[in-house]
Structures are given as C-alpha cells and as structure tokens.
Amino acid sequence: MTGQVAEAPSGTAEGTDLLTVGVEEEFLLVDPHTGAAVPAVDLVMEQVPPELRGQVEREFQTSQIEIGSPPGLELSSIRHSLGVLRAALADAAERAGVRLLAIGTGPVDGPVPPVVDKPRFDRMIERFRLLVPGPGNNGMHVHVGVPDPETGVQVLNHVRPWLPVLHAVTTNSPFARGEDTGYASWRSVEWERWPSVAPTPYLESHEHYERLIRQLIASGVMLDEGMLYWYARLSAKYPTVEIRIGDVCPSVDDAVLVAALVRAMVATAMDDIAAGRPALRTDHHLLVAAHWRAAHDGQEGDGVDLTDGELRPAWELFDQLIERLRPALERHGDLDEVTGLVAGLRRHGTGAARQRAVFARTGRLVDVVEDVARQTRGAGRS
C-alpha cells in the first residue's frame, strides 16, 4: 500500500529499447506455532541487517512488512535481490520470534492487528473506519520504466484487457478465518472494500488521468494520489508504470515469472503504440467480471476472454498471452527462463492450488503455513 521501492526504475536502458523492471513484495508476520497474524513489524525491523534496511519498509498493518528490489534489466538481478531480501527478512523474523509468509492474506483466524502508527494511516482509518478487514492484504507491485507520462497512460490502456490473465496466475490466498473461502484470491475480495480499488479506466490522455485523480480526491474516496488503487497506474514517485493486481507470490520463481511477464506486457504495449495499433476498449463491467472470475477460479478454472466476452480455460488465455508477449520476451532475453518457469507453474499450480493441495493431504492449516514459509524463504515450489 505504501508504494515505495528502494530505487526508481528509470525507463529504457540508454541506447536500447529494453525496459527496466523492479518489484515490491508485501509479507505477513505470523505466530510460528499457530499461524495467526501478529503485530510484530517493529520487532522484525530491529533485526533487519543495517545494509538492507533501505529496501525494507513497514506496511499498513503491524503484521505486514515490505521489500523493494533495485530496478534492473536482467531477470537474474531481480532473482538475486529478491532471494537475498527474502532470506534476510525470514531470518530477521525468526530472530524476532515470528515467521514470514509470502501469502495474500492470513489463513488462520485471530485478532486483527492494529494499523502502523503514522499520521496518514490514522487519517485513513478516521475517514474509512472499518474497511481494514483482516490480518493484512499482501500484494506484489511491478514497476516498469516508461519514457514519459503520456506514453505511460497509453500503456495503461493497452495492458488493461490482459490484467485478468495475470490476476489468475498470481492467486495465493484461498484460506481465511480458518476455512477455504471458495476463492483462489480472497485478498482480492477483501481489497475491493476500499472505494478507490478498481480496474484502470480507459484514459484519453495524461491530463485526463490527472483530472480523475483530482476529482477522486475531491470526492473523498481518496486522501491523496497514493490511494489511487487502480490495478495499473503511473507511479506517483517514479517514471514507471506500476502493475499492482496480484497477490504476493509464494516463491522467488513465481515472482520472477510475474516480473518478466509484466515487463513484456509493457514492452508489447509500447510496440503497439509505436505501430499505431489501438488498445482494446473493453467494457468496464465486463472487465470487472473478468477480474472477479480470475480471483474466484485462479489459474485452475475458467477466465473471461475480453475479445468476445466468452469463458475460456484460464490456461488457454494464459497461453494466448505468452504467444502475444513472445517477441518482447525474446528481445529482453527472458524467453527461455519464462518457458521454464511456466512449465514449473503447470506442474505445481498457483500458490492457491499449492495451499489447497497441502490442506487436502493433511487437513491442517498449520501445515499450509509451514509450506508457504518454506517457499517464502526460497526453497522453491512444493
């Protein structure tokens, strides 16, 4: 929610048409014995190594903590940064007597931890009251550099029909309050309570984008530009497009895959813009339906094909996306790694599917928590 990264992705690499990418990840802090969320962020922050503290932030609730990777061109650098940060943060959590989970929301019932003591957060609670629904909503935000805000707005128009496909791939929160919610991403359902959460509208220009922000703030549904919780937006701080639809990914492999796909989506959009190809002007309500279906079914069910409004298997829509992104993936040198990571995703399923598989085997949410903690630290997919 804070929208902070350690360093701003700066756009295209000098002398090339390659785009930088950076990742923010939010995590849940839980009791190592019960799996319930605990208000331990201050204790964990004290244990973070000094050299990494610039890349670690408090989040909205005291049961959450956030990391930001430095931006880069190579997926290997993103993988290294996320691996180092996750491992260091998992160690810091254990030294503080808690456990770090890369999970969309807490699966185990328990008291709702308080909000971090910051004036801005206090104002949010004063205005919006009981919209904080549970132990903490944890997402993944991917920043991709763009050359200027006007191009960025056009990119938002081009990527919006494809974001439900990405939404399904990133589902990682099927359990809440001790039971299966029936959704692959319960975080998405809880997150929708905030009035400024929505698919990005079709935007006529950067001036239109800024005018909408002013109007939304004046309406009272946002305190400031930082509360623009559209699924894709321009960063308020950096020269980037920020894609923020997904649950936090359970493993580094999953996070690297999503980062590569998002960068390729932005690069493909820029190719379309340069070639004069128009964005698909998807009906808003159909787009809402596609995102609901993605949150409900995840990658293991059906999705809405926004070219005709029909249901298709989610994997069929994902394969179409990969084929569309192939030239951009090749140009950035990511195709081979993405191909391998997609194969792994097919074998193991999304984070939601993995959690359900563990619960089906053991019937114990503490085992789900244990498995997510193992993946969070970097032990790979189960």
Side-chain angles (χ1 to χ4, degrees):
M1 186 180 292
T2 57
Q4 296 174 327
V5 291
E7 183 183 346
S10 57
T12 57
E14 186 174 353
T16 77
D17 59 353
L18 304 182
L19 304 181
T20 58
V21 60
V23 174
E24 300 168 0
E25 296 186 302
E26 300 161 352
F27 303 100
L28 190 68
L29 303 171
V30 301
D31 184 289
H33 305 293
T34 68
V38 289
V41 67
D42 288 341
L43 295 174
V44 176
M45 288 292 291
E46 291 174 0
Q47 298 297 325
V48 174
E51 66 273 15
L52 297 179
R53 287 179 185 170
Q55 295 171 262
V56 181
E57 295 282 348
R58 291 168 178 82
E59 238 293 326
F60 186 60
Q61 286 171 259
T62 52
S63 53
Q64 296 176 279
I65 197 163
E66 179 182 19
I67 62 173
S69 76
L73 288 172
E74 302 294 333
L75 285 187
S76 58
S77 67
I78 299 298
R79 177 182 292 281
H80 174 75
S81 295
L82 294 181
V84 168
L85 286 165
R86 280 178 173 231
L89 208 54
D91 287 343
E94 290 180 10
R95 288 193 294 270
V98 298
R99 179 163 285 172
L100 185 76
L101 296 187
I103 196 168
T105 194
V108 177
D109 200 11
V112 176
V115 171
V116 169
D117 185 16
K118 291 177 64 173
R120 180 173 179 268
F121 293 165
D122 292 341
R123 292 197 302 274
M124 290 171 68
I125 295 300
E126 181 181 6
R127 177 172 296 181
F128 300 106
R129 307 294 293 179
L130 294 178
L131 290 187
V132 180
N137 294 147
N138 304 300
M140 174 185 181
H141 307 156
V142 181
H143 288 256
V144 180
V146 290
D148 57 78
E150 203 65 57
T151 300
V153 164
Q154 294 183 62
V155 167
L156 297 179
N157 289 338
H158 278 261
V159 301
R160 63 196 288 270
W162 295 99
L163 292 185
V165 180
L166 192 70
H167 196 165
V169 169
T170 60
T171 49
N172 185 35
S173 51
F175 296 102
R177 301 181 183 90
E179 60 183 273
D180 194 319
T181 64
Y183 284 77
S185 174
W186 186 247
R187 179 202 65 91
S188 300
V189 177
E190 292 188 330
W191 186 229
E192 290 285 344
R193 297 186 185 193
W194 292 93
S196 55
V197 174
T200 309
Y202 190 92
L203 300 157
E204 300 299 334
S205 64
H206 184 233
E207 190 281 327
H208 181 206
Y209 179 91
E210 291 188 314
R211 174 161 33 95
L212 277 175
I213 290 173
R214 293 193 299 270
Q215 291 170 334
L216 290 170
I217 292 172
S219 77
V221 302
M222 294 169 21
L223 292 180
D224 50 39
E225 187 174 352
M227 283 192 69
L228 186 70
Y229 298 143
W230 291 346
Y231 298 156
R233 68 184 188 185
L234 303 183
S235 170
K237 295 184 176 183
Y238 309 127
T240 64
V241 166
E242 181 184 1
I243 307 297
R244 45 189 295 115
I245 182 56
D247 291 354
V248 65
C249 292
S251 73
V252 171
D253 275 353
D254 298 303
V256 170
L257 172 60
V258 172
L261 294 177
V262 169
R263 175 165 63 180
M265 289 173 70
V266 174
T268 300
M270 291 176 64
D271 290 344
D272 287 344
I273 293 163
R277 290 186 286 268
L280 178 66
R281 297 194 66 152
T282 305
D283 180 84
H284 173 76
H285 293 286
L286 188 60
L287 190 57
V288 169
H291 279 289
W292 176 86
R293 190 79 194 206
H296 184 273
D297 285 25
Q299 194 64 13
E300 287 66 40
D302 291 326
V304 178
D305 186 338
L306 288 169
T307 63
D308 59 14
E310 299 296 324
L311 283 181
R312 305 265 188 272
W315 272 109
E316 181 180 321
L317 296 176
F318 184 74
D319 289 341
Q320 291 175 7
L321 175 62
I322 294 293
E323 190 58 33
R324 173 175 167 77
L325 302 183
R326 181 177 293 274
L329 291 169
E330 287 182 331
R331 186 163 72 243
H332 284 85
D334 297 344
L335 183 59
D336 287 346
E337 181 158 8
V338 165
T339 300
L341 291 171
V342 169
L345 185 68
R346 287 184 187 277
R347 289 193 301 272
H348 303 294
T350 61
R354 284 172 241 162
Q355 289 185 47
R356 283 173 167 152
V358 172
F359 189 75
R361 289 196 303 269
T362 73
R364 289 161 33 99
L365 282 177
V366 291
D367 294 329
V368 173
V369 168
E370 182 70 28
D371 190 66
V372 172
R374 181 187 61 79
Q375 294 180 71
T376 302
R377 178 178 281 281
R381 297 161 171 160
S382 60

